[in-house]
Amino acid sequence: MTGHARAPIKITLGHFTLMETADLGHHISRRYNDDLDRLRTRVLAMGGFVEQQLQKAVRALVDGDSALGEAVAMDDYKVNDMEISIDEDCSRLLAIRAPTAGDLRVILAIIKTITDLERIGDEAEKVGYIASRLATMERPADKYHEIKHLGRVVAEMVHDALDAYARMDADAAVDVARRDRLVDEEYEAIQRQCITFMMEDARTIRRTLDLLWVVRALERIGDHAKNICEYVIYMVHGKDVRHTSLDDVQRELHARQESPPAPAATPPIQ
Amino acid sequence: MTGHARAPIKITLGHFTLMETADLGHHISRRYNDDLDRLRTRVLAMGGFVEQQLQKAVRALVDGDSALGEAVAMDDYKVNDMEISIDEDCSRLLAIRAPTAGDLRVILAIIKTITDLERIGDEAEKVGYIASRLATMERPADKYHEIKHLGRVVAEMVHDALDAYARMDADAAVDVARRDRLVDEEYEAIQRQCITFMMEDARTIRRTLDLLWVVRALERIGDHAKNICEYVIYMVHGKDVRHTSLDDVQRELHARQESPPAPAATPPIQ
């Protein structure tokens, strides 16, 4: 893409930096760019809120903070409201601007991304509920340590997926998506420990099952973060990489970087 | 909506009847109607395949048929391929036809519906894997009986959600969505039984956990079927009813039926 030599304009939102997508020669109007940037900023705001919900839910469990767990569950409606509102704006923008190619992909990627963010919110809500239920019980320090670690890993995945989204960085998205395998391995390991624990002492079965649901929720959050990474790759490169191995994706992205980029995309300004 | 007195044309696909959405005075072209109907037919074909996958997976578990369980898991790639292919056609149609109002909603509803169908496919795949693993073990007849029943209930939900989609019948969609509560109750009851079973005999913990994952997968399939019902309501009435109580939705739909319908929708021809 030539003729775009000016420096990228960056919009800072909390701890995310939004790479401006404007390609003025390509877009219908400056107004459309503003609409798109506003939408993407709102996705990041929703993502930031969901990330906080997740962190709070795990902290509620680890600290045995019943009120915090309940607060997370009570706040899930805010995530739902954000999803519906952004979704409506996407429909409106599709109807009035009739975007094509890269601009269309940006909006379709948003529609999918907010669905995954909403589901991450649902999983955080579940963790919040369980945390408030378990708060009154005695906490086995060792197991929560591992859940705390897994919680940190998936929260980082969500954060870094949103960061790759903000910067429209497909390579970073591939790197984040790769971490999902580690999440799965950690989940399997904790699950095995939980089973051993239940077999050793049947009185712990109920509580341990609750913990199993928590680690399952965290594992699913990793899946959703991976989905978001796949939308970033789709948005930037116009290729749907769901159900494709990450090695194949990376090979293809590098092959593309060595050949001229596809004209249809709306890449960040170089 | 006046001036549409001719009888609806019905397209029959397997056991679904597709209500033709054509509103020729409203659409850009006959070609566009054909494109939309073809897309909707493909969604129903995907739905029919996913429904079969679910039924086979549950049968594999109940009959202890390891080969059938494996076959379900092996065939999941077909569901993924259908999702990507339909998704691409939706993008293409959005780009070349730039639909608005009801026509836009039909396509956005398809994009969301196939995501849920794909996830139902994933859950069926999991059940298939677990079924093939459990096939060699002794089967406790009583518990599989209840899983068989729950499997039938959610398969019917998926079928009836797709039927409501085919007929663009928002009232039927509300009825199907309501059944999700029964699924949740049945899931909770089986879960309690499983816990009792594990507490009584620690040697059954591993196998019972596998069954817990199966009923959890079935419960999630109910959620996905409910999501599809919500897209039907959105498609027909232009209202996003996710995160709204079904009683409120039904009240509003009935209030609308007593007042003139919104002009923006593309309802089935009366």
Side-chain angles (χ1 to χ4, degrees):
Chain A
M1 189 84 42
T2 56
H4 299 294
R6 71 187 172 94
I9 297 166
K10 288 178 178 177
I11 300 166
T12 301
L13 173 88
H15 40 277
F16 293 114
T17 299
L18 182 68
M19 183 69 76
E20 201 195 19
T21 56
D23 174 357
L24 294 176
H26 172 65
H27 284 154
I28 300 161
S29 71
R30 176 73 220 171
R31 176 85 189 270
Y32 184 68
N33 289 324
D34 290 347
D35 284 343
L36 267 192
D37 282 340
R38 200 162 25 238
L39 257 184
R40 293 180 61 224
T41 305
R42 292 181 65 205
V43 172
L44 290 176
M46 179 181 176
F49 186 76
V50 164
E51 202 188 319
Q52 276 176 24
Q53 286 279 92
L54 165 59
Q55 286 165 338
K56 282 182 188 170
V58 174
R59 198 165 67 234
L61 180 80
V62 173
D63 295 351
D65 186 339
S66 174
L68 185 62
E70 269 173 44
V72 169
M74 295 293 284
D75 274 353
D76 186 55
Y77 79 94
K78 294 180 185 168
V79 178
N80 299 341
D81 287 353
M82 287 184 217
E83 184 198 12
I84 288 190
S85 168
I86 297 172
D87 210 34
E88 281 170 357
D89 279 359
C90 287
S91 297
R92 194 180 52 80
L93 215 55
L94 284 174
I96 62 173
R97 302 284 176 192
T100 59
D103 295 337
L104 175 59
R105 289 205 303 274
V106 170
I107 297 186
L108 293 177
I110 288 176
I111 289 174
K112 288 168 197 269
T113 297
I114 58 176
T115 305
D116 282 282
L117 287 178
E118 192 270 331
R119 305 240 162 113
I120 294 174
D122 284 347
E123 300 294 346
E125 181 191 7
K126 274 182 223 160
V127 175
Y129 269 128
I130 293 174
S132 80
R133 189 164 63 217
L134 289 183
T136 52
M137 295 184 187
E138 196 193 343
R139 275 166 293 147
D142 60 329
K143 212 166 268 104
Y144 286 6
H145 173 76
E146 274 150 12
I147 290 177
K148 188 178 176 179
H149 181 258
L150 183 58
R152 196 163 46 228
V153 170
V154 296
E156 274 171 13
M157 265 187 87
V158 173
H159 181 89
D160 294 346
L162 289 166
D163 190 52
Y165 170 83
R167 292 186 291 108
M168 298 186 88
D169 185 337
D171 282 322
V174 173
D175 287 342
V176 177
R178 275 189 195 285
R179 288 188 232 156
D180 191 43
R181 185 174 294 176
L182 295 175
V183 170
D184 289 347
E185 284 169 8
E186 214 160 308
Y187 161 68
E188 298 285 347
I190 299 177
Q191 195 182 4
R192 278 193 300 273
Q193 277 184 23
C194 285
I195 293 172
T196 308
F197 208 63
M198 286 193 279
M199 291 173 85
E200 280 171 1
D201 185 353
R203 290 166 304 171
T204 66
I205 285 177
R206 258 177 232 280
R207 189 182 61 197
T208 311
L209 269 180
D210 270 339
L211 295 181
L212 266 179
W213 295 132
V214 168
V215 289
R216 178 73 159 196
L218 296 177
E219 185 265 337
R220 292 194 79 95
I221 290 172
D223 289 343
H224 290 298
K226 187 183 174 195
N227 291 345
I228 292 172
C229 292
E230 290 170 346
Y231 308 143
V232 173
I233 298 164
Y234 164 76
M235 188 166 66
V236 176
H237 288 284
K239 184 169 168 54
D240 194 330
V241 296
R242 290 175 292 180
H243 322 303
T244 310
S245 90
L246 289 169
D247 285 340
D248 288 347
V249 173
Q250 196 152 49
R251 246 192 308 279
E252 187 167 328
L253 294 190
H254 285 169
R256 284 180 184 214
Q257 278 159 8
E258 283 158 20
S259 62
T266 307
I269 299 160
Q270 299 299 314
Chain B
M1 192 76 50
T2 56
H4 300 293
R6 71 188 172 91
I9 297 165
K10 288 178 177 176
I11 300 166
T12 301
L13 174 87
H15 41 275
F16 293 113
T17 299
L18 183 67
M19 182 70 77
E20 201 195 19
T21 56
D23 174 356
L24 294 176
H26 173 67
H27 284 155
I28 300 161
S29 70
R30 175 75 220 171
R31 175 83 189 271
Y32 183 68
N33 290 322
D34 291 346
D35 284 343
L36 268 191
D37 282 338
R38 202 163 23 242
L39 256 183
R40 292 180 61 224
T41 305
R42 293 182 65 205
V43 172
L44 290 176
M46 179 180 175
F49 186 77
V50 164
E51 202 187 317
Q52 276 176 24
Q53 286 279 93
L54 166 59
Q55 286 165 338
K56 282 183 189 170
V58 174
R59 198 164 69 235
L61 180 80
V62 173
D63 295 350
D65 187 339
S66 173
L68 184 62
E70 267 173 45
V72 169
M74 294 294 284
D75 273 354
D76 185 57
Y77 80 94
K78 294 179 186 170
V79 178
N80 299 341
D81 286 354
M82 288 185 217
E83 185 199 12
I84 288 189
S85 168
I86 297 173
D87 210 36
E88 281 171 357
D89 279 0
C90 287
S91 296
R92 193 180 51 80
L93 215 55
L94 283 175
I96 62 172
R97 302 283 175 192
T100 59
D103 295 337
L104 175 58
R105 289 206 302 274
V106 170
I107 297 186
L108 293 178
I110 288 175
I111 290 175
K112 288 169 197 269
T113 297
I114 58 175
T115 305
D116 283 278
L117 287 177
E118 191 270 331
R119 304 240 162 113
I120 294 175
D122 284 348
E123 301 294 345
E125 181 191 8
K126 273 183 223 161
V127 174
Y129 269 127
I130 293 175
S132 81
R133 188 165 65 217
L134 289 183
T136 52
M137 295 185 188
E138 196 193 343
R139 275 167 291 147
D142 60 327
K143 211 164 272 105
Y144 286 6
H145 174 74
E146 274 150 12
I147 290 177
K148 189 178 177 179
H149 181 258
L150 183 59
R152 195 162 48 227
V153 171
V154 297
E156 274 172 13
M157 266 187 86
V158 173
H159 180 87
D160 294 346
L162 290 166
D163 190 52
Y165 170 84
R167 294 186 292 108
M168 298 186 88
D169 185 337
D171 283 322
V174 173
D175 287 342
V176 178
R178 275 189 196 285
R179 288 188 233 155
D180 191 43
R181 187 175 292 177
L182 295 175
V183 170
D184 289 347
E185 284 169 9
E186 214 160 308
Y187 161 68
E188 297 286 347
I190 300 177
Q191 195 182 4
R192 278 194 299 272
Q193 277 183 23
C194 285
I195 293 172
T196 307
F197 207 65
M198 285 193 279
M199 289 173 87
E200 280 170 1
D201 186 352
R203 289 166 305 172
T204 67
I205 285 177
R206 258 177 232 279
R207 190 181 60 195
T208 310
L209 269 180
D210 270 339
L211 295 182
L212 265 179
W213 295 133
V214 167
V215 289
R216 177 73 160 198
L218 296 177
E219 184 266 336
R220 292 195 80 95
I221 290 173
D223 289 343
H224 291 298
K226 187 183 174 195
N227 291 345
I228 292 172
C229 292
E230 290 170 345
Y231 308 143
V232 173
I233 298 165
Y234 164 76
M235 188 166 67
V236 176
H237 288 284
K239 185 169 167 54
D240 194 329
V241 296
R242 290 174 292 182
H243 322 304
T244 309
S245 90
L246 289 169
D247 286 337
D248 288 347
V249 172
Q250 197 151 48
R251 248 192 308 279
E252 186 166 328
L253 293 189
H254 285 169
R256 283 180 184 214
Q257 277 159 9
E258 284 158 21
S259 62
T266 307
I269 300 160
Q270 298 299 314

